[in-house]
Amino acid sequence: MLWHQILLALGSFLTAVQCFQLNLTQFYEMPQLYDLDDYDRCMQEFDQETSTYCFVRAEVQPNETVVAWQAIAEISRFDRHHFDHRQLYFGLCLRECEASLAQLDANELKALQAGLLTDNQKVNVYLDLFAMEADNRERHQRLTNICLNWRLQQRGYGLQAKSVVEYCDEAGKSVEDDAWNFTFYTIICALLILACLGSLVDLHLKYRRHDKMLKERDHYKTPPKSRAQQLLLTFSVARNWYRLNQEPSGKIGRELRFLDCFKFFAMFMVIFAHTNWVIYESAISNPQDPERLLHTAAGTLLVSGSLITVTFFVISGLLLTINWLAVVRSMQSKSKEVWSFGQYFLLFVKFNVFRYIRLTVPYAFVLLVSGVYFDNAGGPLWRHIYEREQLSCRRNWWVNLLYINNFVHTDERCLLQGWYLAADTHSFVLSLVVLMLGHRFAQWSKHLYSGVLAVFMILPAVITYVADYYPIFIPSPQTQKDSFIGDRQFTEFYTSSHMNFGAYFCGVLAALVYDELSSRQYKLRELRSFQIFWFSLIPA
Ligand SMILES: *[C@@H]1O[C@H](CO)[C@@H](O)[C@H](O)[C@H]1NC(C)=O
Ligand SMILES: *[C@@H]1O[C@H](CO)[C@@H](O)[C@H](O)[C@H]1NC(C)=O
């Protein structure tokens, strides 16, 4: 009961603590981050004419004498908490623009032109991806710039903005299937056909069996007889269902079941975080709310939960090492000789190739899906968010398949979350080398392991200090809105392999300790000091 009350008190304390008060009078002096005309109306109202809707990126130009600029400068200064309010998104229906500018004369129009936005690196990444829009960009630049500056003036902000068209949509255009799309459809069809065929063959085999001793489902658990059968039955739905639901077997399987719990919670948080990211990328009509979030303790804890991925690294390291130890044991039971370099090398290649195949087949399929063009579901930001991903995937899929996407082409990321797989792959290779060295030079292994751990514990600290990173990664609202493009902290600090290897190696060491303990039948839980240590983990 007491615990309960303390927790409740802590919870309400964390949500109530808010040191910073956003001055909303000042907040509403700034132009809105998003000014989007009605997309559907623009595209559908007049069928006969071709209507055009342009998505325009604008950057407010400084003017110290204007109140709105003072507010922008003051609020955007806190860039870890707040959006950069200089960056505005406009969705302009060109027909409405023309209508609104009709009564202005040439001089007035000239005064409204603030120029082309060229020196914004993040915007330029988008312009480069949407290179096929170069014509539209040139054709509509003048009109859109005048139009949005007219709006800023009409609303009394007294500011001007440079701008550039990201893309324009024309009414009546639909997506044309290309080679990439057809590849996707072909593979989907092939998979469906194979799944049907495999399932039917499996069903047929089941009825042919006539074995009274076997229960219904046992058929699906017995391995197929021939190679050809095995190949076909890989696609059998029922068989895969039972495989997925299989209970872990063996001593290791039972002992490692607790990992599922960690995996569940970590996975939940990861999905939550990435859903949140897409919300930040799209239009938010009340940006003050997400901005306030990071001024509260609870909000900060929630958003800086990026450390959750460390859990996965530890689990990966643990599983690799358990696997490695099992292989070593089975090989040593056959012969006691010292292994040659060739044997180590062969084993190294085998580990990596099998892992590569296991990961890459489903990964490649996800990459393929991510590049498929779909019809615009009906919104001005659809292409900004989805087509950016599709274009990046079409351009950079090979970077992902080589697992170097956490340091190559980091501004045009296909599957942003794929950085984890790259960092995991690098950690896997390095750990395997370390484990092999530890096995070959067994008398030095303790020195080696502690040396590696020490290096990769100290290295991130040194790099963080020298390169002046913030010690934890907090995805600020603007970072998320920019889709993590050009964010040093994310690319160099958070997703790079050498910063994460320490956590991975902790998993490796945990597995070595676990192996030692279980082979010696050591009863840790009877140790008083261990009990104290164990319960002290709960608050941590
Ligand atoms: C809020 O901002 C407005 C306009 O900038 C200013 O006049 C007012 O004094 C500010 N209020 C507080 C409490 O700082
Ligand atoms: C700044 O704003 C004032 C008032 O609107 C205007 O007179 C002046 O020309 C602007 N300065 C610049 C550099 O745009």
Side-chain angles (χ1 to χ4, degrees):
M1 228 21 236
L2 182 68
W3 269 110
H4 198 177
Q5 278 165 2
I6 292 178
L7 272 183
L8 269 182
L10 188 69
S12 45
F13 173 73
L14 283 179
T15 34
V17 181
Q18 190 176 339
C19 319
F20 178 89
Q21 287 294 334
L22 205 58
N23 181 343
L24 282 182
T25 322
Q26 195 186 29
F27 198 89
Y28 284 110
E29 275 163 3
M30 301 187 292
Q32 287 167 314
L33 289 179
Y34 308 89
D35 184 346
L36 307 173
D37 292 342
D38 190 326
Y39 183 82
D40 293 319
R41 179 167 175 185
C42 184
M43 292 311 220
Q44 293 166 6
E45 193 179 11
F46 299 101
D47 280 338
Q48 290 82 357
E49 306 165 43
T50 56
S51 317
T52 308
Y53 189 101
C54 289
F55 181 66
V56 185
R57 306 283 295 263
E59 188 174 288
V60 175
Q61 296 304 300
N63 187 340
E64 301 296 342
T65 59
V66 178
V67 186
W69 174 259
Q70 287 160 7
I72 289 179
E74 172 67 17
I75 288 177
S76 307
R77 201 155 56 91
F78 301 100
D79 59 351
R80 275 190 204 127
H81 301 80
H82 295 171
F83 287 107
D84 178 355
H85 285 269
R86 282 174 306 165
Q87 312 297 333
L88 308 180
Y89 289 1
F90 283 89
L92 301 174
C93 183
L94 294 191
R95 190 165 7 88
E96 281 176 39
C97 274
E98 275 161 2
S100 73
L101 298 176
Q103 78 267 40
L104 299 184
D105 64 36
N107 278 339
E108 283 170 313
L109 289 178
K110 193 146 193 280
L112 285 171
Q113 261 177 296
L116 182 67
L117 177 62
T118 52
D119 54 355
N120 187 322
Q121 296 306 328
K122 295 175 185 173
V123 173
N124 286 346
V125 171
Y126 282 90
L127 299 189
D128 186 35
L129 277 172
F130 288 96
M132 66 286 193
E133 293 288 325
D135 278 352
N136 278 334
R137 208 162 281 155
E138 206 163 310
R139 193 171 339 138
H140 302 305
Q141 164 63 26
R142 183 171 170 276
L143 176 61
T144 51
N145 189 245
I146 293 176
C147 180
L148 65 90
N149 277 317
W150 171 246
R151 287 189 189 185
L152 287 175
Q153 197 185 79
Q154 285 295 295
R155 298 196 179 130
Y157 295 116
L159 287 169
Q160 289 215 324
K162 285 188 177 180
S163 72
V164 63
V165 173
E166 191 169 309
Y167 51 78
C168 295
D169 289 338
E170 271 156 34
K173 278 265 169 73
S174 63
V175 169
E176 283 165 26
D177 287 318
D178 56 357
W180 188 290
N181 279 19
F182 280 121
T183 315
F184 171 70
Y185 297 139
T186 315
I187 290 184
I188 277 284
C189 286
L191 281 176
L192 281 176
I193 292 171
L194 279 172
C196 292
L197 214 63
S199 305
L200 286 176
V201 169
D202 212 4
L203 201 67
H204 172 70
L205 286 177
K206 186 177 135 192
Y207 283 119
R208 227 182 43 184
R209 206 180 264 265
H210 293 310
D211 192 340
K212 289 280 176 295
M213 299 297 288
L214 276 180
K215 276 206 231 107
E216 275 280 282
R217 67 169 78 130
D218 283 340
H219 164 74
Y220 293 117
K221 292 180 181 173
T222 47
K225 292 201 187 79
S226 67
R227 258 297 125 125
Q229 267 191 21
Q230 191 183 7
L231 214 60
L232 209 53
L233 295 188
T234 326
F235 297 95
S236 155
V237 174
R239 191 167 286 265
N240 281 310
W241 172 253
Y242 285 116
R243 260 187 81 109
L244 278 177
N245 286 309
Q246 218 170 29
E247 282 195 8
S249 59
K251 178 166 170 293
I252 291 180
R254 276 197 309 279
E255 285 185 0
L256 292 184
R257 247 153 88 168
F258 72 96
L259 287 180
D260 290 341
C261 164
F262 284 109
K263 272 198 289 193
F264 171 79
F265 283 109
M267 208 62 226
F268 179 81
M269 290 308 290
V270 167
I271 292 174
F272 170 82
H274 288 110
T275 316
N276 212 28
W277 157 47
V278 181
I279 294 175
Y280 275 92
E281 253 194 298
S282 54
I284 303 176
S285 61
N286 49 349
Q288 67 272 23
D289 288 339
E291 294 191 0
R292 276 204 203 107
L293 184 72
L294 276 165
H295 285 295
T296 63
T300 311
L301 279 178
L302 185 72
V303 175
S304 62
S306 46
L307 284 180
I308 209 84
T309 35
V310 167
T311 318
F312 285 110
F313 281 116
V314 177
I315 296 179
S316 291
L318 189 89
L319 294 180
L320 159 67
T321 314
I322 288 178
N323 232 332
W324 161 254
L325 290 171
V327 169
V328 167
R329 219 152 269 145
S330 79
M331 285 182 66
Q332 264 169 352
S333 63
K334 283 182 210 141
S335 84
K336 288 260 177 266
E337 288 166 36
V338 176
W339 299 356
S340 66
F341 175 76
Q343 269 172 306
Y344 279 113
F345 184 73
L346 199 67
L347 209 56
F348 180 77
V349 170
K350 253 192 196 165
F351 259 79
N352 280 297
V353 168
F354 286 152
R355 176 178 185 279
Y356 187 82
I357 294 174
R358 217 167 45 230
L359 276 185
T360 307
V361 172
Y363 191 34
F365 184 72
V366 175
L367 287 174
L368 183 68
V369 177
S370 307
V372 174
Y373 288 143
F374 295 107
D375 263 326
N376 188 337
L381 286 166
W382 169 265
R383 296 180 67 190
H384 176 68
I385 299 174
Y386 281 86
E387 198 170 323
R388 183 198 60 72
E389 180 84 6
Q390 290 156 350
L391 291 169
S392 310
C393 282
R394 282 161 176 245
R395 215 183 256 197
N396 292 322
W397 55 271
W398 57 276
V399 177
N400 289 50
L401 290 188
L402 291 176
Y403 296 97
I404 50 176
N405 49 319
N406 62 345
F407 62 92
V408 177
H409 292 315
T410 46
D411 276 345
E412 299 169 353
R413 287 171 193 270
C414 165
L415 291 183
L416 175 102
Q417 60 276 35
W419 72 266
Y420 171 81
L421 286 177
D424 190 74
T425 305
H426 305 154
S427 305
F428 179 91
V429 173
L430 188 55
S431 299
L432 198 57
V433 171
V434 172
L435 283 172
M436 287 185 160
L437 286 175
H439 179 257
R440 177 67 184 77
F441 306 103
Q443 69 275 33
W444 298 107
S445 63
K446 291 214 174 80
H447 300 88
L448 177 70
Y449 296 148
S450 41
V452 171
L453 183 69
V455 167
F456 281 96
M457 286 284 148
I458 295 168
L459 189 72
V462 172
I463 293 180
T464 306
Y465 184 79
V466 172
D468 198 19
Y469 298 123
Y470 195 61
I472 47 171
F473 172 63
I474 297 184
S476 70
Q478 186 62 34
T479 298
Q480 303 202 52
K481 187 179 166 206
D482 286 332
S483 198
F484 296 86
I485 290 169
D487 188 41
R488 235 176 113 239
Q489 182 85 16
F490 180 72
T491 319
E492 296 163 24
F493 172 84
Y494 179 56
T495 64
S496 61
S497 309
H498 53 272
M499 301 300 254
N500 287 297
F501 182 73
Y504 194 96
F505 202 66
C506 284
V508 171
L509 293 182
L512 291 172
V513 171
Y514 159 78
D515 184 65
E516 195 76 356
L517 290 177
S518 67
S519 64
R520 287 202 204 155
Q521 309 258 325
Y522 197 72
K523 295 273 187 304
L524 258 189
R525 58 172 175 272
E526 283 160 16
L527 229 62
R528 172 106 297 165
S529 59
F530 179 74
Q531 286 179 2
I532 293 174
F533 175 67
W534 175 251
F535 285 107
S536 72
L537 275 181
I538 292 176

